[in-house]
Amino acid sequence: MAKYSTGLAFAKKMDKADPLKGFRKRFHLPKQKNGKPYIYLCGNSLGLQPKDTAAALQQELVDWQNFGVEGHFHAKNPWMPYHEFLTKAMAKVVGAKPIEVVVMNTLTVNLHLMMVSFYRPKGKRKKIVIEADAFPSDKYAVESQIKHHGLDPKKCLIELKAREGEECLREEDIKKVIDEQGDNIALIMLGNTNYYTGQFFDMKKITEWGHAKGCMVGFDCAHGAGNVELKLHDSGCDFAVWCTYKYLNSGPGSLGGAFIHERHAHDKDLPRFAGWWGHNKKTRFKMRDGFDPIPGVESWQLSNPPILSMAAIWASLKIYEEAGMKKLRKKATLLTGYLEFLVNQLGEDTVKIITPADPKQRGCQLSIQVKNADKKLFDLVTKEGVIADWREPDVIRIAPVPLYNSFEDVYRFSKSLEKAIKKFS
Ligand SMILES: *Cc1c(COP(=O)(O)O)cnc(C)c1O
């Protein structure tokens, strides 16, 4: 790892040479009581606010003031087709075709809608595969879908567990489950980037293994969207869902995204829960005809969407368009590698990174286990002016994001961690 070195001078040199360094000042950095900005390493939980967001919201507020309901057609950005303004940029972020992507609802809602269509237990094919340490909301959603079909989650849920003494899943173990139990599996639904370990799965391989056995395959990309290069279309997966408030910087509780592969775009018989916003745009307001789905994932929309939230998403996507996923990924790989380098300096008796060391198997986030630590250690890190994330029993999740984090942030975090560990022990 000769490419990194330990001093502050190295961090400053890297920041100076960073082609994306200009983006940091386009975000609001949360401030401490003493007026200094926090070292914010929590973009995997809630992304920071772009400075452009306020004006984007203001535009819609003003148009609402001036036009009332007519804003649907006469606002600067007419509300009627508003979601379409986001589609192209969002499709680029997740590596999909526009017909495969829509911004709608929220993440868990979208996960349910996708399972209504793609979890169709039949005969002996009834099971769902999920990670044992899946995000709780995903687990609840999956279990409740199983129950909704009158089935027993204890019998119909296959949880992928890491081997004894390991934290991450091995690909060969995932394959083994699919090969051995595939005939009984209706749906494979994994977090494509695990929220806890930060492990990023090869979606294409998993999809191929699943499809070879006749299973449907979907991914929760909450921790992937805007973080890793997703290539959803090429992966061949049937569906994916994600949120926009983590790496995509669109504000607390903002809308989610959904992907349905092109191969399902014109299948009007695919069962789905419907609402008026998924109906043929030409006849939507006749309000008489039977449901006539728009081709593609747009037909899974239910309601007319919250424009204020969409305005924030659009403002954020414009920044993604400017920066580009390739360049963001390039910086992120360096930045996370640097974090790994500095954390490992603390010694393996003190810390253990549970995220895979292979940059292709992770995004920005590193999950750091501090030996014998509890929440008090994390509180000491927080006192040093760092905003990060603690997961019981002993993991600190750190996500330096390439849009607004600097090498100096990572350096200062590593010093704060070192100091906190000394105080703690
Ligand atoms: C953040 C996250 C959620 C949160 O779901 P919401 O419906 O947006 O509240 C769910 N699943 C995963 C994997 C997440 O990372």
Side-chain angles (χ1 to χ4, degrees), residues 44-45 106-109 111 134-138 191 193 195 220-223 242-243 245-246 253-254 397:
N44 55 344
S45 190
T106 48
L107 172 54
T108 307
V109 172
L111 182 55
F135 196 92
S137 194
D138 298 33
T193 312
Y195 84 102
D220 184 331
C221 298
H223 282 262
W242 59 95
C243 57
Y245 51 78
K246 290 172 179 162
S254 190
R397 299 187 308 164

Side-chain angles (χ1 to χ4, degrees), residues 248-310:
L248 289 172
N249 307 320
S250 301
S254 190
L255 297 171
F259 163 93
I260 291 181
H261 197 277
E262 195 180 27
R263 84 176 79 89
H264 301 295
H266 301 283
D267 181 359
K268 291 192 179 190
D269 297 329
L270 203 57
R272 75 200 78 188
F273 284 174
W276 72 324
W277 231 248
H279 183 90
N280 184 343
K281 291 168 198 172
K282 290 200 186 81
T283 56
R284 187 188 282 153
F285 288 91
K286 287 192 180 153
M287 311 250 198
R288 288 278 182 273
D289 307 334
F291 183 65
D292 177 15
I294 304 167
V297 65
E298 271 192 74
S299 68
W300 272 260
Q301 296 174 105
L302 299 177
S303 305
N304 77 101
I307 297 300
L308 295 178
S309 237
M310 288 216 161

